[in-house]
Amino acid sequence: MSEQKKKLVEAITPINEDFTQWYTDVCVKAELVDYSSVKGCMILRPYGCAIWENIQHILDGMFKATGHENVAMPIFIPESLLQKEKDHVEGFAPEVAWVTHGGLEELEERLCVRPTSETLFCDHFAHVLHSWRDLPMKYNQWCSVVRWEKTTRPFLRSREFWWQEGHTIHETAEEAVAETRQQLETYAEFCEKYLMIPVVKGQKTDKEKFAGAEATYSIEAMMHDGKALQSGTSHYFGDGFSRAFGVQFAGRDNQLQYPHQTSWGVSTRLVGAIIMTHGDDEGLILPPAVAPYQVVVVPVAAHKPGVAEKAAEVAGRISGFARVKLDGSDNSPGWKFSQWEMKGVPLRLELGPRDIEKNQCVLVRRDTREKAFVSLDELDTAIPKMLNELAQSLYQKALANREARTWAATDFEEVKRLASEKSGYIKTMWCGELACEEKMKEEAGLSSRCIPFVQERLGDTCPCCGRPAKKTVYWGKAY
Amino acid sequence: MSEQKKKLVEAITPINEDFTQWYTDVCVKAELVDYSSVKGCMILRPYGCAIWENIQHILDGMFKATGHENVAMPIFIPESLLQKEKDHVEGFAPEVAWVTHGGLEELEERLCVRPTSETLFCDHFAHVLHSWRDLPMKYNQWCSVVRWEKTTRPFLRSREFWWQEGHTIHETAEEAVAETRQQLETYAEFCEKYLMIPVVKGQKTDKEKFAGAEATYSIEAMMHDGKALQSGTSHYFGDGFSRAFGVQFAGRDNQLQYPHQTSWGVSTRLVGAIIMTHGDDEGLILPPAVAPYQVVVVPVAAHKPGVAEKAAEVAGRISGFARVKLDGSDNSPGWKFSQWEMKGVPLRLELGPRDIEKNQCVLVRRDTREKAFVSLDELDTAIPKMLNELAQSLYQKALANREARTWAATDFEEVKRLASEKSGYIKTMWCGELACEEKMKEEAGLSSRCIPFVQERLGDTCPCCGRPAKKTVYWGKAY
């Protein structure tokens, strides 16, 4: 290892020594984010932004394939509009930013910078919905929202973050529930197939559901350190918002009716999930589907005749089937290896004079460091195959981590012991009472992650109160 | 014409009767926008949003092809940061929205919602720029910005609008000037090749340049009514902002230097330009490159056996080479024709039982209403050809309008006469003095549009003051 490489690698805190510091180091040194002059707001640098753009591109295609259309709503919500739905305003008013002046004048009514846009969508639906023939309306928007958080961390919790928010209205409750569930499945599929992050799908308890929702569903991912990250949510509102905002339509029976509503969202938090699920001591490891570069070509002994040219030719060929970066800078190969490992590029292609003589190159997997000598004539099959193998490995490794860190418990002493000794999911039965959920939090430091769709029978009683149990619940510590 | 169709068409004000009202009618009835509860902020509805997405997609590809990378900067600017560059703050402070409270607490320092992001980019550049090897940094972001305008109109002037803002820094002034000009050329190419809107490229006078810029270049388009619309701008800043924000790098000579900077932007205003350049009494006419649907398939006598099926099959085939919408709703064909004309879909494909017998269909151009009978086996060549012909016609028609409405004047009486009798561009020589520019405004109601890159010699003296002239200037009334 060259001195330069050592220096760069030493600059990251080892992942198992201080995971929090490791995470911050990776965010900064992989050039994903910069801190801004606005406390709690982050800057997405080109590399971080490119990951988010790839996420957007895939998800947007999935949304459109299921009949959703994009719209753009205002950035501001008048205070009176935010207040129309009681539970919603209680949930959000304490954490919004308020605009009080426009230009040199004080506003007659304060405007908040949207923390989420249910109220704006309802206001719009009330204008444009007339008849059952207009339904369903299935809208989505890509934007940033603002929530005045006290403690912030890049991607995980910041005062401004980027996301998509889907908002739909339907003729019947059944259709709206089906939409809510379908969008949760879309998120799960996206996480598992593209981000290679296994998730648990389930329903939030009443305590944890969205302000104003009848039901909230979520996907929960487990990070490297065993903590949970809620990675996407989908809400069913019934007709509560419709009634609060006077959204009505003439039904098939010519009577005025209230539509049933959903909303669902994922955010730049997914980038945090990628970092904390797949990363290692060398830095980031990116799932190929969203990696800005899937392959980095590093010429070795680039000053020797023909090497730079051949590297450029090979990179050009790869660009036909993969996202490729040719690193033709005058840094040493060792420094480049280290830099692109930090940035998590899935495959490195090394090409030196002796390789060229043999019409081959070296392909190195970022996750396992496995090296393969590959003929330059077979790159178009070898690279996609290796990318796919790497992706599957990432998924399996993350799944193995989750399985190794998931424990079942049937009595409260066991819950407390596991919670203090281990980090991961603890599954238990639950009676359904808020008091027991609060006891889990106060005495074991655990919050309910979800009531998983896949229910198991772990016993008959709630470990907190001993009464008959209704559901299995996943508990954990969460970001 | 069916009753239904008449009714729909009559609902738009004729274009030459009241252009302003016609414009508003089209924005609303083509379902591009909705008004929101936030005064002066608009909602982009699915159809309007899809046009903007197509614009974004093409431009983003052009930016990336010239080495620009996307980033995302915060939505807020601390007051102290906005104030660092004197001219800039004077230009923008009177029209920004101020956030004074976060959650339940008053902020120590006010934050403005970004009206443009030069200050944020400079702050970031100061963090991440170290050496000449880091240059150029060529960044862009897609976002919305807020300017507290007093009078607003959809797309043309609203308190919030969507845009892209490019921000670059360079080692030398020459490179920065070249970037500024290159990006203006990109805008001009985009308008002319994709939006089919001819533009005049030129430099803004000192009076009209951007707050804090050394030079501002713009593209100016002429609308149907002869008024000008500034459709894109590109600014050269020299090192003024770098000095104000302490952005420095170690040069090739190892001395600290200030980089030279540019910024450039186009916005949802371009949608307004499309409407006002190409539209007619029936509504919108969309250039094919950005039309959400390039072809609408309308089955005729759809209840007859086989018609609906054949229409679906034909639409499916077209989807392989064009964006197509099958209107299978139970509205009458006449109503559908009218609706899709209002929405400006470039080509309508009519298909009825007799057409099917003959293995043909009717293709109708939105702009000329020309009908062509086309074999169903030739759609993959006929449709792209007709779309291209329509696009070229739109451009030629817009160019002819501009040429017919451009007058040269050499004395001030003639300027005043033309300004009162005609609507369009008036070109004159100009001495370069602010006093004469102000006289044009006060006495003839004209603002300088630009000093065109293509200079003509219309005389030797300034028509305002009679002194020696330096430049040709385009003057006009503008949106």
Side-chain angles (χ1 to χ4, degrees):
Chain A
M1 202 184 277
S2 73
E3 275 309 300
Q4 273 181 311
K5 179 167 178 189
K6 258 195 209 154
K7 201 175 143 197
L8 194 64
V9 174
E10 279 165 11
I12 325 181
T13 306
I15 190 167
N16 291 324
E17 186 181 301
D18 181 347
F19 189 64
T20 302
Q21 188 58 48
W22 170 88
Y23 177 78
T24 305
D25 288 351
V26 170
C27 285
V28 172
K29 288 180 199 299
E31 300 183 331
L32 301 178
V33 298
D34 184 26
Y35 297 97
S36 79
S37 290
V38 189
K39 196 170 164 287
C41 289
M42 63 176 166
I43 292 167
L44 295 186
R45 299 188 64 184
Y47 201 67
C49 196
I51 297 171
W52 177 237
E53 282 186 44
N54 288 335
I55 290 173
Q56 286 185 285
H57 181 73
I58 299 168
L59 276 174
D60 196 66
M62 294 173 91
F63 298 156
K64 284 178 176 158
T66 43
H68 300 90
E69 300 178 293
N70 285 337
V71 297
M73 302 294 286
I75 196 176
F76 299 125
I77 306 173
E79 189 164 15
S80 56
L81 197 66
L82 188 69
Q83 287 172 338
K84 278 199 177 180
E85 211 286 338
K86 194 179 64 66
D87 292 336
H88 191 70
V89 67
E90 277 178 19
F92 282 104
E95 58 174 39
V96 297
W98 291 103
V99 173
T100 56
H101 291 73
L104 305 174
E105 283 165 27
E106 190 168 352
L107 302 182
E108 283 177 26
E109 181 182 14
R110 297 199 299 177
L111 305 171
C112 81
V113 184
R114 66 182 161 215
T116 180
S117 306
E118 278 74 10
T119 54
L120 293 164
F121 274 88
C122 283
D123 195 39
H124 176 55
F125 288 141
H127 288 180
V128 295
L129 176 63
H130 304 292
S131 135
W132 63 271
R133 289 162 187 273
D134 301 324
L135 294 172
M137 289 185 174
K138 305 204 293 182
Y139 292 165
N140 176 59
Q141 77 170 343
W142 294 95
C143 62
S144 75
V145 289
V146 169
R147 298 179 186 175
W148 219 251
E149 304 281 358
K150 293 224 157 51
T151 49
T152 59
R153 297 186 62 195
F155 298 115
L156 302 180
R157 197 172 292 278
S158 52
R159 287 186 170 174
E160 180 189 20
F161 58 90
W162 291 267
W163 78 347
Q164 60 70 219
E165 45 179 324
H167 296 268
T168 70
I169 46 174
H170 304 264
E171 199 178 348
T172 66
E174 293 67 39
E175 279 179 50
V177 169
E179 166 82 10
T180 313
R181 291 290 291 262
Q182 173 192 281
Q183 292 312 100
L184 193 81
E185 291 295 335
T186 297
Y187 291 154
E189 184 189 345
F190 175 72
C191 283
E192 300 199 331
K193 278 201 187 163
Y194 296 96
L195 305 187
M196 313 321 292
I197 300 175
V199 295
V200 174
K201 295 175 279 191
Q203 182 167 358
K204 287 284 181 187
T205 61
D206 280 353
K207 177 173 184 287
E208 298 289 335
K209 75 183 183 188
F210 183 82
E214 280 198 15
T216 289
Y217 303 98
S218 76
I219 50 170
E220 303 284 331
M222 186 188 286
M223 304 296 101
H224 175 84
D225 64 346
K227 280 201 197 166
L229 187 74
Q230 176 178 297
S231 303
T233 48
S234 188
H235 315 293
Y236 170 63
F237 291 109
D239 59 8
F241 272 81
S242 295
R243 287 179 185 273
F245 286 81
V247 182
Q248 286 187 304
F249 65 98
R252 289 171 201 263
D253 58 1
N254 256 324
Q255 302 295 304
L256 279 181
Q257 301 181 13
Y258 293 101
H260 297 261
Q261 193 171 346
T262 85
S263 79
W264 28 275
V266 294
S267 73
T268 35
R269 193 163 233 233
L270 287 175
V271 180
I274 294 168
I275 300 168
M276 294 199 296
T277 301
H278 301 309
D280 68 10
D281 277 337
E282 263 64 52
L284 204 56
I285 301 181
L286 290 176
V290 299
Y293 306 120
Q294 297 167 315
V295 184
V296 59
V297 174
V298 179
V300 177
H303 57 283
K304 295 257 173 91
V307 174
E309 294 74 8
K310 191 70 181 177
E313 183 209 314
V314 167
R317 252 193 287 153
I318 294 170
S319 69
F321 54 85
R323 291 189 291 272
V324 62
K325 166 82 182 173
L326 170 63
D327 187 346
S329 68
D330 55 7
N331 294 312
S332 72
W335 196 91
K336 291 179 187 177
F337 293 175
S338 171
Q339 189 197 21
W340 295 111
E341 283 175 3
M342 174 76 80
K343 290 196 159 195
V345 177
L347 291 182
R348 177 171 79 229
L349 188 155
E350 304 171 12
L351 187 73
R354 269 169 301 180
D355 299 311
I356 294 171
E357 268 174 38
K358 296 184 193 166
N359 191 43
Q360 70 176 23
C361 66
V362 184
L363 282 174
V364 186
R365 260 175 68 161
R366 169 64 182 85
D367 58 337
T368 57
R369 305 293 173 71
E370 249 175 281
K371 287 189 173 202
F373 291 90
V374 174
S375 159
L376 293 180
D377 299 330
E378 289 167 10
L379 293 177
D380 59 333
T381 51
I383 287 174
K385 183 161 170 282
M386 283 181 73
L387 288 173
N388 184 49
E389 285 165 359
L390 174 140
Q392 297 312 320
S393 288
L394 292 183
Y395 183 84
Q396 290 305 329
K397 198 176 158 210
L399 187 63
N401 184 52
R402 187 180 83 190
E403 286 176 351
R405 288 173 178 274
T406 302
W407 296 275
T410 50
D411 70 71
F412 198 68
E413 288 310 307
E414 199 183 355
V415 169
K416 283 200 287 188
R417 184 185 60 77
L418 284 168
S420 71
E421 290 175 7
K422 310 284 191 181
S423 175
Y425 291 143
I426 299 172
K427 357 181 227 193
T428 74
M429 300 308 287
W430 179 49
C431 61
E433 291 300 319
L434 177 61
C436 291
E437 192 174 354
E438 286 175 340
K439 186 178 171 187
M440 284 293 243
K441 184 75 193 173
E442 284 155 22
E443 298 185 25
L446 300 172
S447 62
S448 69
R449 302 319 311 150
C450 67
I451 303 161
F453 292 160
V454 180
Q455 287 280 305
E456 294 169 86
R457 193 168 163 280
L458 305 167
D460 298 316
T461 55
C462 173
C464 295
C465 64
R467 281 176 294 193
K470 289 180 178 152
K471 299 280 183 191
T472 323
V473 172
Y474 276 73
W475 309 86
K477 295 180 178 108
Y479 282 96
Chain B
M1 201 185 275
S2 74
E3 276 308 300
Q4 273 181 312
K5 181 169 178 188
K6 258 195 213 155
K7 201 174 144 197
L8 193 66
V9 173
E10 279 166 9
I12 324 182
T13 306
I15 190 167
N16 292 325
E17 185 181 302
D18 180 346
F19 190 64
T20 301
Q21 188 57 47
W22 171 88
Y23 178 78
T24 305
D25 288 351
V26 170
C27 285
V28 172
K29 289 183 198 294
E31 301 184 331
L32 301 177
V33 298
D34 184 28
Y35 296 97
S36 79
S37 292
V38 190
K39 196 170 163 288
C41 289
M42 63 176 167
I43 292 167
L44 295 186
R45 299 187 65 184
Y47 201 67
C49 196
I51 298 171
W52 177 237
E53 282 187 45
N54 289 335
I55 290 173
Q56 285 185 286
H57 181 73
I58 299 169
L59 275 174
D60 196 67
M62 294 173 91
F63 298 156
K64 284 178 177 159
T66 43
H68 299 90
E69 300 178 294
N70 285 337
V71 298
M73 302 295 286
I75 196 175
F76 299 125
I77 307 173
E79 188 163 16
S80 56
L81 197 67
L82 188 69
Q83 287 172 338
K84 279 198 175 182
E85 212 284 337
K86 195 180 62 67
D87 292 337
H88 190 69
V89 66
E90 277 178 19
F92 283 105
E95 58 174 40
V96 296
W98 291 104
V99 173
T100 56
H101 291 73
L104 306 174
E105 284 165 27
E106 189 169 352
L107 302 181
E108 283 177 26
E109 182 183 14
R110 297 200 298 178
L111 304 171
C112 80
V113 183
R114 64 181 162 216
T116 180
S117 306
E118 278 74 10
T119 54
L120 294 164
F121 274 88
C122 283
D123 195 40
H124 176 56
F125 288 142
H127 288 178
V128 296
L129 176 64
H130 305 292
S131 135
W132 64 271
R133 289 163 187 275
D134 301 324
L135 293 171
M137 289 184 173
K138 304 204 293 182
Y139 292 166
N140 177 60
Q141 77 170 345
W142 293 96
C143 62
S144 75
V145 289
V146 169
R147 297 179 187 174
W148 219 251
E149 304 281 357
K150 294 224 156 50
T151 48
T152 59
R153 296 186 62 195
F155 298 115
L156 302 179
R157 198 172 292 279
S158 52
R159 288 186 170 174
E160 180 189 22
F161 58 91
W162 291 267
W163 78 346
Q164 60 69 219
E165 45 179 324
H167 296 268
T168 71
I169 46 174
H170 304 263
E171 200 178 348
T172 65
E174 293 67 41
E175 280 179 50
V177 169
E179 166 82 10
T180 313
R181 292 289 292 261
Q182 173 193 281
Q183 292 312 101
L184 194 81
E185 292 295 335
T186 297
Y187 291 154
E189 184 189 343
F190 175 72
C191 284
E192 301 198 331
K193 279 200 187 163
Y194 296 96
L195 305 187
M196 313 321 291
I197 300 175
V199 295
V200 175
K201 295 174 281 190
Q203 183 168 356
K204 287 284 181 187
T205 61
D206 280 354
K207 177 173 184 287
E208 298 289 334
K209 74 184 184 185
F210 183 82
E214 281 198 14
T216 290
Y217 303 98
S218 76
I219 50 171
E220 303 284 330
M222 186 189 285
M223 304 296 99
H224 175 82
D225 65 345
K227 281 201 198 169
L229 186 74
Q230 177 178 297
S231 303
T233 49
S234 188
H235 315 292
Y236 170 64
F237 291 109
D239 59 8
F241 272 81
S242 295
R243 287 178 186 274
F245 285 82
V247 182
Q248 287 187 302
F249 65 97
R252 290 171 201 261
D253 58 1
N254 256 322
Q255 302 294 304
L256 279 181
Q257 300 181 14
Y258 294 102
H260 297 261
Q261 194 171 346
T262 86
S263 79
W264 28 275
V266 294
S267 74
T268 35
R269 194 162 232 236
L270 287 175
V271 180
I274 293 169
I275 300 168
M276 294 199 295
T277 302
H278 301 310
D280 68 11
D281 277 336
E282 264 62 53
L284 205 53
I285 301 182
L286 290 176
V290 299
Y293 307 120
Q294 297 167 315
V295 184
V296 58
V297 174
V298 179
V300 178
H303 57 283
K304 295 259 174 88
V307 175
E309 293 75 6
K310 192 69 179 178
E313 183 208 316
V314 167
R317 254 193 286 152
I318 295 171
S319 70
F321 55 85
R323 292 188 292 271
V324 61
K325 166 82 183 173
L326 169 64
D327 187 347
S329 68
D330 55 8
N331 295 312
S332 72
W335 196 91
K336 291 178 188 179
F337 292 175
S338 171
Q339 188 197 23
W340 295 111
E341 282 174 4
M342 175 76 81
K343 290 196 159 195
V345 177
L347 291 183
R348 177 171 78 228
L349 189 155
E350 303 171 12
L351 188 73
R354 271 169 298 178
D355 299 313
I356 295 171
E357 268 173 37
K358 297 183 192 165
N359 192 44
Q360 71 176 24
C361 65
V362 183
L363 282 174
V364 186
R365 260 174 69 161
R366 169 63 182 85
D367 59 337
T368 57
R369 306 292 172 73
E370 250 176 280
K371 287 188 172 204
F373 292 90
V374 175
S375 158
L376 293 179
D377 299 330
E378 289 166 9
L379 293 176
D380 59 333
T381 51
I383 287 175
K385 184 162 169 282
M386 283 182 74
L387 288 172
N388 184 49
E389 285 165 358
L390 175 139
Q392 298 312 320
S393 289
L394 292 183
Y395 183 84
Q396 291 305 330
K397 197 176 160 212
L399 187 62
N401 184 52
R402 187 181 82 191
E403 287 176 352
R405 288 174 178 274
T406 303
W407 297 275
T410 50
D411 70 72
F412 197 67
E413 288 310 308
E414 199 182 354
V415 168
K416 283 200 287 189
R417 183 184 60 77
L418 285 167
S420 71
E421 290 175 8
K422 310 283 190 180
S423 175
Y425 292 142
I426 300 172
K427 355 182 228 193
T428 75
M429 300 307 288
W430 179 49
C431 63
E433 292 299 319
L434 177 61
C436 291
E437 191 174 354
E438 285 174 341
K439 186 178 171 187
M440 285 291 247
K441 184 76 193 172
E442 284 155 22
E443 298 185 24
L446 300 172
S447 62
S448 69
R449 303 318 312 148
C450 67
I451 304 160
F453 291 160
V454 179
Q455 287 279 305
E456 294 169 86
R457 194 169 162 279
L458 305 168
D460 298 317
T461 57
C462 172
C464 295
C465 65
R467 279 176 295 192
K470 289 181 178 152
K471 299 280 184 191
T472 323
V473 172
Y474 276 72
W475 309 86
K477 296 182 178 105
Y479 283 96

